[in-house]
Amino acid sequence: MEVKTIGVVGAGQMGSGIAQVAAQAGYEVVLVDVAESFLERGLTAIRRSLGKFLEKGRISQEAYEETLGRIRTSLSLEALKEADLIVEAIVEDEGEKRRLFEKLSTLAKPEAILASNTSSIPITALARYSGRPERFIGMHFFNPVPLMGLVEVIRGELTAPETRDVVVAVAKRMGKTPLEVQDYPGFISNRLLMPMINEAIEALREGVASKEAIDGIMRLGMNHPMGPLELADFIGLDTCLAIMEVLHKGFGDDKYRPSPLLRRMVQAGLLGRKVGRGFYNYDEKGNKVG
């Protein structure tokens, strides 16, 4: 099937980024969220991101305006009725995703493909809720979406090869490199990344080193662009906890047990950069201030 219109559910940092790269690739985009403020915040992020590309000469003024012109927003899932591909980018919670896909199962046109941007929840489980497991797939983008080149493509147990082929072609048109992985909790990216972050949090809890030393060792010794604690703030500590819980439950292995410090910080609302405070403090623009 030919994909002309892409729907994106969720206008947060992931959803807005997916909407942006889809529109830049020439697709018509429908961005849906539950509140006008969320949509406006998402559009502001898109304008800011495109503006940086414009300033650096990576896109023209015409491309800037055309990209924005391809994105329309809505508060209703009904706006997705004619979408050829719908990408879910809501909170990392299986119950919330289940409720969304149960609605989309009857709302989306029969030939439409449903995709989840989940970073850890098994695709086969989500596909069951969609009513169309053959046309359901994982399409895991990375943050910030306009800059990161990877898309993990995850087939569920019943995903049709044709669905995979369509999604791979869409990802390539977006300028991404799609790499296929098997449907296991955390896939590859978060199965490797999150235990490292979790272990860094445990090292901090045990007093092995300060947060600055832990992050500095990984930046300077391992050449990571940011340390694991700062990265946890960037991702969101609530998201890190949700992924670790999926890994722990999915594998039944205590090596994936979330750090008590991670759980305590989430309970306290110290979620990282998006709220201005996590392992570090951040200003309104998301810059680290201490």
Side-chain angles (χ1 to χ4, degrees), residues 58-180:
R58 295 177 59 179
I59 62 173
S60 65
Q61 182 67 40
E62 181 181 15
Y64 173 92
E65 293 172 358
E66 287 179 349
T67 298
L68 289 176
R70 294 189 190 102
I71 302 172
R72 61 187 176 94
T73 63
S74 178
L75 297 174
S76 173
L77 292 175
E78 294 287 327
L80 301 173
K81 279 189 171 182
E82 297 306 314
D84 304 300
L85 168 64
I86 301 174
V87 182
E88 167 271 313
I90 65 171
V91 64
E92 190 70 355
D93 178 271
E94 185 171 342
E96 292 295 328
K97 292 181 190 295
R98 174 178 183 166
R99 285 184 281 276
L100 172 63
F101 285 122
E102 286 176 342
K103 292 176 182 176
L104 291 176
S105 68
T106 56
L107 186 150
K109 61 185 182 181
E111 66 270 27
I113 292 172
L114 302 183
S116 176
N117 181 57
T118 179
S119 54
S120 61
I121 299 170
I123 296 303
T124 299
L126 295 179
R128 187 173 71 249
Y129 310 136
S130 74
R132 57 183 77 196
E134 299 83 4
R135 293 185 298 285
F136 193 97
I137 198 164
M139 201 175 185
H140 180 208
F141 291 81
F142 291 77
N143 189 33
V145 178
L147 300 180
M148 300 296 280
L150 175 64
V151 173
E152 274 186 316
V153 176
I154 309 100
R155 290 172 62 183
E157 187 67 26
L158 299 176
T159 303
E162 295 81 4
T163 299
R164 185 263 328 272
D165 293 344
V166 169
V167 165
V168 165
V170 168
K172 288 181 176 178
R173 181 169 159 182
M174 290 178 177
K176 306 301 181 186
T177 298
L179 296 177
E180 188 170 353

Side-chain angles (χ1 to χ4, degrees), residues 22 29 34 39 41 45 49 54 66 121 156-157 162 165 191 208 217 222 239 252 260 279:
V29 176
V34 296
L39 292 171
R41 191 180 309 151
S49 176
L54 182 60
E66 287 179 349
I121 299 170
E157 187 67 26
E162 295 81 4
D165 293 344
R191 183 172 177 176
V208 178
I217 286 166
M222 310 303 172
T239 299
F279 291 105

Side-chain angles (χ1 to χ4, degrees), residues 187-206:
F187 317 129
I188 288 295
S189 58
N190 281 319
R191 183 172 177 176
L192 301 183
L193 174 64
M194 283 301 160
M196 182 194 74
I197 289 176
N198 194 59
E199 192 64 24
I201 297 171
E202 271 292 88
L204 179 65
R205 184 179 74 89
E206 293 170 3

